[in-house]
C-alpha cells in the first residue's frame, strides 16, 4: 500500500485550505486562512489524484453546484471519534443539529462535551461537516476553523437553498 503523504492548497471563499492524502484517500482538510500558517514536511509530495478530485468537488460546493462530497476518506481516531465523525456525515446540507443531539445519535446522550471534543478534532472539516453542529440554544457554539468561517459556511448553505438564516446566529457568538 502506498503510504506516501501528499498535499495541495485550495483557495476558497473562507481562506486557504490545506488538503492532505495518503494511500489514495483524503486524510486532512484544514481551513487555515494563510499558507504560511502550515509548514510542510520535506518528505511530502505536492499533488495526487484524490487531491485533484477534492479540489474539483470543493469548486462545485463553493459555486453552489454540489451539496455533498464523494471522496475516499481515511479518518484516524478513537472508535468514539470515528462514530461521531460518521454521524457528522449524515447531517444534510444546510441543516444543523445540536451537540446534545449528536451525543444522542452516537448512543451517549450525556456526552455532549465529549462529542464537542471529537467534533473539534475532525481532521477533514467541511467535507465531514462539523460546521453543522451548533449549541442547544441555537447559537453557533465553537469551531476549529473559527466562528467567522462557521457562520459563513452555514449562511452560504442556507442561502444557496433560499432559506432564512436563523436570528440566533447573529447574536453574540460563543
Amino acid at each position: 500500500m502506498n503510504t506516501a503523504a501528499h498535499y495541495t492548497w485550495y483557495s476558497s471563499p473562507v481562506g486557504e485550505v490545506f488538503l492532505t492524502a495518503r494511500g489514495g484517500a483524503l486524510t486532512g482538510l484544514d481551513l487555515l486562512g494563510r499558507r504560511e500558517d502550515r509548514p510542510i514536511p520535506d518528505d511530502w509530495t505536492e499533488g495526487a489524484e484524490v487531491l485533484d478530485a477534492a479540489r474539483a468537488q470543493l469548486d462545485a460546493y463553493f459555486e453552489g453546484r454540489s451539496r455533498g462530497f464523494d471522496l475516499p476518506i481515511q479518518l484516524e481516531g478513537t472508535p468514539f471519534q470515528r462514530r461521531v465523525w460518521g454521524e457528522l456525515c449524515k447531517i444534510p446540507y444546510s441543516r444543523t443539529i445540536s451537540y446534545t443531539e449528536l451525543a444522542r445519535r452516537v448512543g451517549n446522550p450525556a456526552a455532549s462535551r465529549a462529542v464537542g471534543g471529537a467534533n473539534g478534532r475532525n481532521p477533514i472539516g467541511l467535507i465531514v461537516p462539523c460546521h453543522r453542529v451548533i449549541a442547544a440554544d441555537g447559537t453557533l457554539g465553537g469551531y476549529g476553523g473559527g466562528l467567522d468561517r462557521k457562520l459563513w459556511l452555514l449562511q452560504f448553505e442556507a442561502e444557496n437553498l433560499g432559506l432564512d438564516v436563523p436570528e440566533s446566529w447573529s447574536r453574540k457568538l460563543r
Side-chain angles (χ1 to χ4, degrees):
M1 179 177 178
N2 181 1
T3 59
H6 302 273
Y7 73 94
T8 195
W9 297 99
Y10 176 79
S11 294
S12 82
V14 292
E16 290 293 320
V17 175
F18 184 69
L19 297 160
T20 58
R22 189 180 296 272
L26 190 66
T27 58
L29 184 153
D30 293 326
L31 296 167
L32 299 173
R34 301 176 319 149
R35 289 183 186 210
E36 54 270 14
D37 291 341
R38 181 62 156 101
I40 301 166
D42 291 336
D43 60 339
W44 287 24
T45 306
E46 187 165 8
E49 188 174 319
V50 69
L51 295 173
D52 293 340
R55 290 169 55 94
Q57 289 185 32
L58 286 165
D59 279 344
Y61 171 84
F62 284 117
E63 291 168 4
R65 296 182 288 113
S66 175
R67 297 181 182 156
F69 299 92
D70 183 20
L71 296 163
I73 61 173
Q74 182 176 338
L75 294 164
E76 293 185 14
T78 68
F80 179 76
Q81 288 171 330
R82 289 194 310 271
R83 275 197 320 273
V84 169
W85 300 333
E87 286 301 318
L88 292 175
C89 292
K90 296 176 185 176
I91 304 170
Y93 181 88
S94 84
R95 301 287 188 246
T96 59
I97 65 169
S98 69
Y99 294 98
T100 303
E101 173 61 17
L102 183 56
R104 188 193 64 72
R105 290 182 184 189
V106 298
N108 194 343
S112 59
R113 284 187 184 265
V115 299
N119 203 43
R121 288 182 204 61
N122 172 13
I124 308 177
L126 182 59
I127 290 173
V128 176
C130 54
H131 64 281
R132 296 180 187 150
V133 182
I134 61 173
D137 66 1
T139 57
L140 294 183
Y143 189 59
L147 287 179
D148 56 337
R149 288 188 183 101
K150 181 174 186 169
L151 178 60
W152 190 96
L153 291 167
L154 291 171
Q155 287 176 330
F156 170 76
E157 290 182 1
E159 290 168 0
N160 195 39
L161 290 181
L163 303 173
D164 292 328
V165 175
E167 186 178 318
S168 62
W169 293 354
S170 61
R171 285 192 236 140
K172 180 182 173 197
L173 304 179
R174 288 186 178 182

